[in-house]
Amino acid sequence: MSALRWGRGAAGLSWALWPAGRPILLAEEGALGGIWGYRRSWSASLCEQDRRRDCGHAELLEVLEARVRQLQADHVSEVTRKQVVMAGLPEAGDSQPSKKALVGNDGAILELNGRWAQRLDEDKHVMQKRKQQLDAKLQQRAQQRARKQQLRVEPQLLSEKLADRLQRWEHSTPRSPWKDQLSRLLQEAPKRLSHAEEHGPVNRVSRMRHEGQQQRLLAFLECCVLVDQLPLAHHVLVTEHSKSRRKGVLTLPMYNTVLLGWARKGSFKELVYVFFMMKDAGLAPDLLSYAAALQCMGRLNQDASTIQRCLKQMALDGLQLEELFTSLRLHKEDKAALLRAVHKAEPTFIPPQPFVPSSQVNTSPLLKEIYDKDHPASYPRQHLPLKTLKCLFQKQLSVEMATTVAVDSVEKAPSLTTEVLNARKTLQELRARWEAELCMALRQTKASEARAARKGRPSLFPYLCLLSEEEFAQLLLQTLQALSSQGESLLSLAQQLGLRIFNRHVVQRKLLSDEVQALQHRYFKYLCLLASDTQEVVSCLPRQYWEALGPPEAPHEQPWPFPVLVQLGKQLAEVLVQTVKMPDHLAQRQGTCRLIPVLYHVYSFRSFRQIGILKPHPAFMQLLETAALRTMTFEAAEVPMLCPPLPWTSPHSGAFLLSPTKLMRSMEGTMQHQRLLEGCPPTELHGALDALTQLGNCAWRVNGCVLDLVLTLFTNKGCPRLGVPAPASEAPRPPECRLPANASPERKSELRRELARCLKMAREMHSLRTDALYRLSLAQHLRHSVFWLPHNMDFRGRTYPCPPHFNHLGSDLARALLEFAQGRPLGPHGLDWLKIHLVNLTGLKKRESLQARLAFADEVMEDILDSADKPMMGRKWWMEADEPWQALACCMEIARAVRAPNPAAYISHFPVHQDGSCNGLQHYAALGRDSAGAASVNLVPSDLPQDVYSSVAAQVEVFRRQDAERGVQVAQVLEGFISRKVVKQTVMTVVYGVTRYGGRLQIEKRLRELSDFPQEFVWQASHYLVRQVFNSLQEMFSGTRAIQHWLAESARLIAHTGFAVEWVTPLGIPVIQPYHQDSKVLISGGIQSLTFSNSGDTSQKPNTLKQKNGFPPNFIHSLDSSHMMLTALHCYRKGLTFVSVHDCFWTHAADVAIMNQVCREQFVRLHSQPILHDLSRFLVERFCSGSRSKDGQITKLLDMLLSVPKTGTFNLEQVKHSTYFFS
């Protein structure tokens, strides 16, 4: 029994005590190569456990055998003792165990007898049999794993005939040349697919899902090619192709992507495989397919006959040889290989010169003067010399190559106490450890994604290869430091991470190519047009000059599908959550060295929806606060540029030097706007491209005097009354008293409301403070620099600066911090315009004439000078203005000008504004030639400015008085409370599509601000007033309401036909409304399954209500953007500095009169076009033509589109003489 007990123990310890000479059978190693690493599979682990158990049994049997021999020696009397040799277990490779137990010198065999020996023999045979079965099973599974891990090269074709042909060719001896197979495949290529076959299922939901799968798969294949994982891309393509149900998902661009990859490597066998799959899928090769085949031939230096056959077949397919060099945007090396192949077949072939867009000119009548070569203009230059501009280019290039900018915070610096120094040291140690752990976790994640890809599924593996683990880790740690204490939604964080990775990847690709050197060479030539000290005399716009310097840029990087961005960002965010931990003692004094997570994933309700939030541990936020690190990190594209931006030349080329920027900003995942722009003739976009370039070429500088005053307030608890947010320490505190156990439900409810109010206030204050911190820190960072703000536009054509945190589109404070870097002498009237501008900023004389405003400025000159000299210690007159900071900046400029020896010669950098008078209604009145409406919004000359808001308030008062006389209670309550301020916001936004519900909320807010208004009547009074405001507008602007109704009804009927509303602006910008039914996109797995709505693409059904309500305001916005762009281009032609904030135009004080003249002339020219009839004609052609024209809904739509509202008798020429049109 002791032996048995020892045997059980030996079996238990058998793995640890395994003999050194005996091999241990581990799971089969992967055949993936260096990057894949060694991993044990789960199935192999089970086999390994069986093996260990059997090894333990073998040792037990050896022990029992020895015990049997000992017993035999004690009981058998006549046994010739010879040398005894134990029979060991067979080695791993043996197939038959030895049947001899003991061998003597004379060859006699001693048989084991008795019950023990018989049992031992049976157990040994059973065990040896199990061992053989186990070895066979291990070998079989290892072979299966090896087959799975092997990347597939040869395709599995669905056509039996084609598969048989491929097999015969592969195994024939001798094999026919691959060039014969390629020629045959090209000759037998199917015809082009029909539109329905090419675009997949007709069902909208199926087509949407279909397109999503196609986008993700194509992006995966392209990314694999980029990171030199072409065999993996080929493997996934072969796997997808072999699935008959997936056949419709694969598109020609997917096959072409892999074709080009093999062509660049000169691998013709694999290229032929792809052509086999294309034929099997029923796809005809296109120009890019032929280019790939010819490239490969050029790299392999093939004979001319093969190339000639390829070119001949290409001609039979209706494709021209010249198109290979004009229609395709290939890299330089690809073009060289292509040309080498063509010269083999046609030695005299000369490739056509690349298309130069500037050779064609926009023919729009609105832009005739801009592009008129018979009347050239001399455009203004930058105020800096060539050498300085070249140095600024180098600085900006360094910033964008680094992809991030470190900016010192303007928060008050703490004293370097022991506590602060210890916190910084702890933080530094934690970051060093986190970076190492994140790199390790990222390597494991990459290996896991690689295994998924080797199974034939598109995964995140190629995207994780775009940057190094160190770069990913630094990006994640930057994201961690930027999180607020309230946390951020996982979806938003994932999207931001995905976009940042894409941007870094694009920059890195440009750095690895020769694009940077080519860009520098071209940009230095471009600076000859802009520099102040060059003698270049060229009468052309910056875009035209840039295009004339060389061929178009290299092909741009296609953006990744939105689900890919989110999935990649989500994966990295989860790595951050699971990896970054800190010691417990940082969270509590009595804590241990146990590690706790720094980030927590929690759920919260926002807008009645439950969302997942990543929230930092309070102890980590406390550590950051104590360390008080004063450095913030911004993306390079979030900071103004240090040199003039690149001119916009196409929908994807312009603005920043390296960072990718969209011409038309839109929701992520929306591709319809980009498709419209790329399908638009290039000349149609010239007006918009040149206007955006002109806006971006305006040089800026920081107003240091204003910045110093703002920083003083900001670091001293802020001043909310002046728009300087207070710190979190000033947020209202929730009540700390505990409620008694018997507190009433009303008291508990009141406390909950108070707590919610305090939390809401704290969140709002934090948001405002952070926004101000970013703006002021960037202003301080750029304090002694000249900088530029590149612009792009939204889907309606409205322009915006690309840097989001520091620009002139912000609040009063943001605008006051900026002034023109290039100054202009005030001239004879500049000082007067500065004074008028100051009075406009105060809001005190809105209904007075310009002369009265000028006189008022002279009256208060003492207050103006006091404000400039003692802004914080004097009479503080500037603080009472509507726009106090801009008013203060203007006071300082006026003080410097009046104290100058010659005010007319004073060089002013201050921008003066001219605002449209309810600009939306101005466009409506001009469209309808509505005389009454035109007079109300200052389209008609008058001695005093007309105030439409006061006019509407007066009309509402007339209606109220009539109702009060009839005994309507709410009308009687409202007596004395109807003012311009109450109705202004609603009147202003009616033209932009506000509904009665939205208007009621606006009026309710204004009524609640009136302390003496009986609050119990607010709801009833707001309902009454919004109805009367709409009635007043209907009576005052009858033409406007008719046009609004026609636009809205047309949009509703178009949406009912299943299409989104489209139109083209007068400047040629194609517009489509991005309002569709929400489609849910699910990204499952991980710490949370993300579901987000995608409502911006044409594959989804249009949202009828949003299409209807959005069309009138969006159409008017497209008109005001056209007016602004026309004004910008003509001001630029006249040598003015011009920028805008939508319908507010800025220029130097000396040039206000010229800008006013241009503004009025271009408004008249714009509305002299038959805008509504052109719109009607376009919509009829777009939505009512073709085979669908007999449909009942189409007939109704056609009737509506043809019933263009009649116009009035207003004479547009009067606008040119209206002083208060823009003032």
Side-chain angles (χ1 to χ4, degrees), residues 224-244:
C224 280
V225 174
L226 284 176
V227 297
D228 202 24
Q229 292 291 332
L230 183 57
L232 186 64
H234 186 93
H235 167 71
V236 172
L237 184 67
V238 169
T239 304
E240 291 289 329
H241 181 88
S242 65
K243 303 173 185 175
S244 57

PDB file of all heavy atoms in Angstrom, residues 224-244:
ATOM      1  N   CYS A 224      -3.906  46.853 -45.717  1.00  0.00           N
ATOM      2  CA  CYS A 224      -2.959  45.735 -45.774  1.00  0.00           C
ATOM      3  C   CYS A 224      -1.863  46.013 -46.800  1.00  0.00           C
ATOM      4  O   CYS A 224      -0.678  45.761 -46.551  1.00  0.00           O
ATOM      5  CB  CYS A 224      -3.683  44.434 -46.139  1.00  0.00           C
ATOM      6  SG  CYS A 224      -4.534  43.651 -44.768  1.00  0.00           S
ATOM      7  N   VAL A 225      -2.259  46.533 -47.954  1.00  0.00           N
ATOM      8  CA  VAL A 225      -1.271  46.847 -48.987  1.00  0.00           C
ATOM      9  C   VAL A 225      -0.326  47.931 -48.491  1.00  0.00           C
ATOM     10  O   VAL A 225       0.887  47.885 -48.729  1.00  0.00           O
ATOM     11  CB  VAL A 225      -1.986  47.275 -50.288  1.00  0.00           C
ATOM     12  CG1 VAL A 225      -0.972  47.752 -51.318  1.00  0.00           C
ATOM     13  CG2 VAL A 225      -2.803  46.119 -50.852  1.00  0.00           C
ATOM     14  N   LEU A 226      -0.865  48.922 -47.761  1.00  0.00           N
ATOM     15  CA  LEU A 226      -0.036  50.028 -47.270  1.00  0.00           C
ATOM     16  C   LEU A 226       1.026  49.556 -46.280  1.00  0.00           C
ATOM     17  O   LEU A 226       2.139  50.058 -46.268  1.00  0.00           O
ATOM     18  CB  LEU A 226      -0.914  51.085 -46.603  1.00  0.00           C
ATOM     19  CG  LEU A 226      -1.708  52.006 -47.534  1.00  0.00           C
ATOM     20  CD1 LEU A 226      -2.595  52.922 -46.716  1.00  0.00           C
ATOM     21  CD2 LEU A 226      -0.762  52.837 -48.387  1.00  0.00           C
ATOM     22  N   VAL A 227       0.660  48.596 -45.404  1.00  0.00           N
ATOM     23  CA  VAL A 227       1.595  48.157 -44.360  1.00  0.00           C
ATOM     24  C   VAL A 227       2.371  46.920 -44.784  1.00  0.00           C
ATOM     25  O   VAL A 227       2.921  46.201 -43.954  1.00  0.00           O
ATOM     26  CB  VAL A 227       0.848  47.897 -43.030  1.00  0.00           C
ATOM     27  CG1 VAL A 227       0.218  49.163 -42.512  1.00  0.00           C
ATOM     28  CG2 VAL A 227      -0.200  46.795 -43.185  1.00  0.00           C
ATOM     29  N   ASP A 228       2.407  46.659 -46.106  1.00  0.00           N
ATOM     30  CA  ASP A 228       3.181  45.555 -46.661  1.00  0.00           C
ATOM     31  C   ASP A 228       2.700  44.198 -46.143  1.00  0.00           C
ATOM     32  O   ASP A 228       3.497  43.307 -45.843  1.00  0.00           O
ATOM     33  CB  ASP A 228       4.676  45.746 -46.356  1.00  0.00           C
ATOM     34  CG  ASP A 228       5.554  44.950 -47.327  1.00  0.00           C
ATOM     35  OD1 ASP A 228       5.080  44.653 -48.442  1.00  0.00           O
ATOM     36  OD2 ASP A 228       6.691  44.605 -46.963  1.00  0.00           O
ATOM     37  N   GLN A 229       1.402  44.041 -46.038  1.00  0.00           N
ATOM     38  CA  GLN A 229       0.790  42.761 -45.692  1.00  0.00           C
ATOM     39  C   GLN A 229      -0.050  42.276 -46.880  1.00  0.00           C
ATOM     40  O   GLN A 229      -1.184  41.845 -46.721  1.00  0.00           O
ATOM     41  CB  GLN A 229      -0.077  42.911 -44.439  1.00  0.00           C
ATOM     42  CG  GLN A 229       0.694  43.177 -43.169  1.00  0.00           C
ATOM     43  CD  GLN A 229       1.514  41.977 -42.737  1.00  0.00           C
ATOM     44  OE1 GLN A 229       1.164  40.828 -43.032  1.00  0.00           O
ATOM     45  NE2 GLN A 229       2.610  42.219 -42.045  1.00  0.00           N
ATOM     46  N   LEU A 230       0.555  42.359 -48.077  1.00  0.00           N
ATOM     47  CA  LEU A 230      -0.161  41.976 -49.286  1.00  0.00           C
ATOM     48  C   LEU A 230      -0.587  40.509 -49.279  1.00  0.00           C
ATOM     49  O   LEU A 230      -1.716  40.197 -49.685  1.00  0.00           O
ATOM     50  CB  LEU A 230       0.704  42.283 -50.511  1.00  0.00           C
ATOM     51  CG  LEU A 230       0.078  42.012 -51.880  1.00  0.00           C
ATOM     52  CD1 LEU A 230      -1.225  42.770 -52.058  1.00  0.00           C
ATOM     53  CD2 LEU A 230       1.054  42.382 -52.993  1.00  0.00           C
ATOM     54  N   PRO A 231       0.258  39.551 -48.838  1.00  0.00           N
ATOM     55  CA  PRO A 231      -0.218  38.154 -48.778  1.00  0.00           C
ATOM     56  C   PRO A 231      -1.467  37.997 -47.909  1.00  0.00           C
ATOM     57  O   PRO A 231      -2.343  37.202 -48.223  1.00  0.00           O
ATOM     58  CB  PRO A 231       0.977  37.401 -48.190  1.00  0.00           C
ATOM     59  CG  PRO A 231       2.161  38.231 -48.549  1.00  0.00           C
ATOM     60  CD  PRO A 231       1.688  39.645 -48.482  1.00  0.00           C
ATOM     61  N   LEU A 232      -1.536  38.765 -46.822  1.00  0.00           N
ATOM     62  CA  LEU A 232      -2.710  38.687 -45.961  1.00  0.00           C
ATOM     63  C   LEU A 232      -3.938  39.243 -46.688  1.00  0.00           C
ATOM     64  O   LEU A 232      -5.033  38.686 -46.585  1.00  0.00           O
ATOM     65  CB  LEU A 232      -2.446  39.469 -44.675  1.00  0.00           C
ATOM     66  CG  LEU A 232      -3.535  39.374 -43.596  1.00  0.00           C
ATOM     67  CD1 LEU A 232      -3.663  37.949 -43.106  1.00  0.00           C
ATOM     68  CD2 LEU A 232      -3.200  40.308 -42.434  1.00  0.00           C
ATOM     69  N   ALA A 233      -3.774  40.354 -47.411  1.00  0.00           N
ATOM     70  CA  ALA A 233      -4.888  40.902 -48.187  1.00  0.00           C
ATOM     71  C   ALA A 233      -5.365  39.893 -49.230  1.00  0.00           C
ATOM     72  O   ALA A 233      -6.572  39.696 -49.419  1.00  0.00           O
ATOM     73  CB  ALA A 233      -4.458  42.213 -48.861  1.00  0.00           C
ATOM     74  N   HIS A 234      -4.419  39.266 -49.904  1.00  0.00           N
ATOM     75  CA  HIS A 234      -4.768  38.255 -50.918  1.00  0.00           C
ATOM     76  C   HIS A 234      -5.503  37.083 -50.273  1.00  0.00           C
ATOM     77  O   HIS A 234      -6.496  36.578 -50.807  1.00  0.00           O
ATOM     78  CB  HIS A 234      -3.492  37.768 -51.606  1.00  0.00           C
ATOM     79  CG  HIS A 234      -3.729  36.842 -52.753  1.00  0.00           C
ATOM     80  ND1 HIS A 234      -3.837  37.280 -54.054  1.00  0.00           N
ATOM     81  CD2 HIS A 234      -3.914  35.492 -52.798  1.00  0.00           C
ATOM     82  CE1 HIS A 234      -4.056  36.242 -54.854  1.00  0.00           C
ATOM     83  NE2 HIS A 234      -4.104  35.150 -54.101  1.00  0.00           N
ATOM     84  N   HIS A 235      -5.019  36.670 -49.113  1.00  0.00           N
ATOM     85  CA  HIS A 235      -5.638  35.552 -48.374  1.00  0.00           C
ATOM     86  C   HIS A 235      -7.093  35.869 -48.024  1.00  0.00           C
ATOM     87  O   HIS A 235      -7.988  35.034 -48.223  1.00  0.00           O
ATOM     88  CB  HIS A 235      -4.816  35.297 -47.112  1.00  0.00           C
ATOM     89  CG  HIS A 235      -5.471  34.399 -46.112  1.00  0.00           C
ATOM     90  ND1 HIS A 235      -5.630  33.043 -46.310  1.00  0.00           N
ATOM     91  CD2 HIS A 235      -6.027  34.664 -44.901  1.00  0.00           C
ATOM     92  CE1 HIS A 235      -6.244  32.508 -45.259  1.00  0.00           C
ATOM     93  NE2 HIS A 235      -6.492  33.476 -44.390  1.00  0.00           N
ATOM     94  N   VAL A 236      -7.353  37.076 -47.499  1.00  0.00           N
ATOM     95  CA  VAL A 236      -8.721  37.457 -47.142  1.00  0.00           C
ATOM     96  C   VAL A 236      -9.591  37.569 -48.387  1.00  0.00           C
ATOM     97  O   VAL A 236     -10.757  37.154 -48.392  1.00  0.00           O
ATOM     98  CB  VAL A 236      -8.713  38.782 -46.354  1.00  0.00           C
ATOM     99  CG1 VAL A 236     -10.127  39.303 -46.150  1.00  0.00           C
ATOM    100  CG2 VAL A 236      -8.030  38.597 -45.009  1.00  0.00           C
ATOM    101  N   LEU A 237      -9.028  38.115 -49.472  1.00  0.00           N
ATOM    102  CA  LEU A 237      -9.789  38.215 -50.723  1.00  0.00           C
ATOM    103  C   LEU A 237     -10.152  36.832 -51.244  1.00  0.00           C
ATOM    104  O   LEU A 237     -11.292  36.596 -51.671  1.00  0.00           O
ATOM    105  CB  LEU A 237      -8.967  38.979 -51.763  1.00  0.00           C
ATOM    106  CG  LEU A 237      -9.664  39.255 -53.101  1.00  0.00           C
ATOM    107  CD1 LEU A 237     -10.833  40.221 -52.903  1.00  0.00           C
ATOM    108  CD2 LEU A 237      -8.685  39.827 -54.114  1.00  0.00           C
ATOM    109  N   VAL A 238      -9.206  35.900 -51.205  1.00  0.00           N
ATOM    110  CA  VAL A 238      -9.478  34.524 -51.653  1.00  0.00           C
ATOM    111  C   VAL A 238     -10.544  33.890 -50.770  1.00  0.00           C
ATOM    112  O   VAL A 238     -11.465  33.223 -51.256  1.00  0.00           O
ATOM    113  CB  VAL A 238      -8.175  33.699 -51.636  1.00  0.00           C
ATOM    114  CG1 VAL A 238      -8.478  32.210 -51.822  1.00  0.00           C
ATOM    115  CG2 VAL A 238      -7.230  34.181 -52.715  1.00  0.00           C
ATOM    116  N   THR A 239     -10.436  34.098 -49.467  1.00  0.00           N
ATOM    117  CA  THR A 239     -11.416  33.509 -48.536  1.00  0.00           C
ATOM    118  C   THR A 239     -12.809  34.069 -48.792  1.00  0.00           C
ATOM    119  O   THR A 239     -13.788  33.321 -48.833  1.00  0.00           O
ATOM    120  CB  THR A 239     -10.989  33.808 -47.086  1.00  0.00           C
ATOM    121  OG1 THR A 239      -9.670  33.325 -46.868  1.00  0.00           O
ATOM    122  CG2 THR A 239     -11.936  33.138 -46.107  1.00  0.00           C
ATOM    123  N   GLU A 240     -12.909  35.384 -48.954  1.00  0.00           N
ATOM    124  CA  GLU A 240     -14.214  35.998 -49.222  1.00  0.00           C
ATOM    125  C   GLU A 240     -14.758  35.545 -50.570  1.00  0.00           C
ATOM    126  O   GLU A 240     -15.950  35.312 -50.722  1.00  0.00           O
ATOM    127  CB  GLU A 240     -14.081  37.529 -49.198  1.00  0.00           C
ATOM    128  CG  GLU A 240     -13.791  38.128 -47.840  1.00  0.00           C
ATOM    129  CD  GLU A 240     -14.972  38.045 -46.900  1.00  0.00           C
ATOM    130  OE1 GLU A 240     -16.118  38.082 -47.391  1.00  0.00           O
ATOM    131  OE2 GLU A 240     -14.768  37.932 -45.677  1.00  0.00           O
ATOM    132  N   HIS A 241     -13.883  35.411 -51.557  1.00  0.00           N
ATOM    133  CA  HIS A 241     -14.328  35.008 -52.893  1.00  0.00           C
ATOM    134  C   HIS A 241     -14.865  33.580 -52.893  1.00  0.00           C
ATOM    135  O   HIS A 241     -15.775  33.256 -53.664  1.00  0.00           O
ATOM    136  CB  HIS A 241     -13.161  35.126 -53.880  1.00  0.00           C
ATOM    137  CG  HIS A 241     -13.529  34.766 -55.283  1.00  0.00           C
ATOM    138  ND1 HIS A 241     -14.031  35.688 -56.179  1.00  0.00           N
ATOM    139  CD2 HIS A 241     -13.493  33.580 -55.957  1.00  0.00           C
ATOM    140  CE1 HIS A 241     -14.288  35.099 -57.321  1.00  0.00           C
ATOM    141  NE2 HIS A 241     -13.962  33.822 -57.217  1.00  0.00           N
ATOM    142  N   SER A 242     -14.304  32.737 -52.017  1.00  0.00           N
ATOM    143  CA  SER A 242     -14.706  31.327 -52.010  1.00  0.00           C
ATOM    144  C   SER A 242     -16.089  31.107 -51.404  1.00  0.00           C
ATOM    145  O   SER A 242     -16.643  30.030 -51.508  1.00  0.00           O
ATOM    146  CB  SER A 242     -13.679  30.501 -51.237  1.00  0.00           C
ATOM    147  OG  SER A 242     -13.673  30.885 -49.865  1.00  0.00           O
ATOM    148  N   LYS A 243     -16.638  32.149 -50.762  1.00  0.00           N
ATOM    149  CA  LYS A 243     -17.970  32.033 -50.162  1.00  0.00           C
ATOM    150  C   LYS A 243     -18.998  32.512 -51.168  1.00  0.00           C
ATOM    151  O   LYS A 243     -19.052  33.694 -51.498  1.00  0.00           O
ATOM    152  CB  LYS A 243     -18.058  32.870 -48.884  1.00  0.00           C
ATOM    153  CG  LYS A 243     -17.015  32.504 -47.840  1.00  0.00           C
ATOM    154  CD  LYS A 243     -17.046  33.496 -46.681  1.00  0.00           C
ATOM    155  CE  LYS A 243     -15.939  33.221 -45.682  1.00  0.00           C
ATOM    156  NZ  LYS A 243     -15.894  34.249 -44.622  1.00  0.00           N
ATOM    157  N   SER A 244     -19.819  31.618 -51.647  1.00  0.00           N
ATOM    158  CA  SER A 244     -20.777  31.984 -52.693  1.00  0.00           C
ATOM    159  C   SER A 244     -21.736  33.064 -52.234  1.00  0.00           C
ATOM    160  O   SER A 244     -22.120  33.955 -52.994  1.00  0.00           O
ATOM    161  CB  SER A 244     -21.559  30.747 -53.143  1.00  0.00           C
ATOM    162  OG  SER A 244     -22.224  30.155 -52.032  1.00  0.00           O
TER     163      SER A 244
END
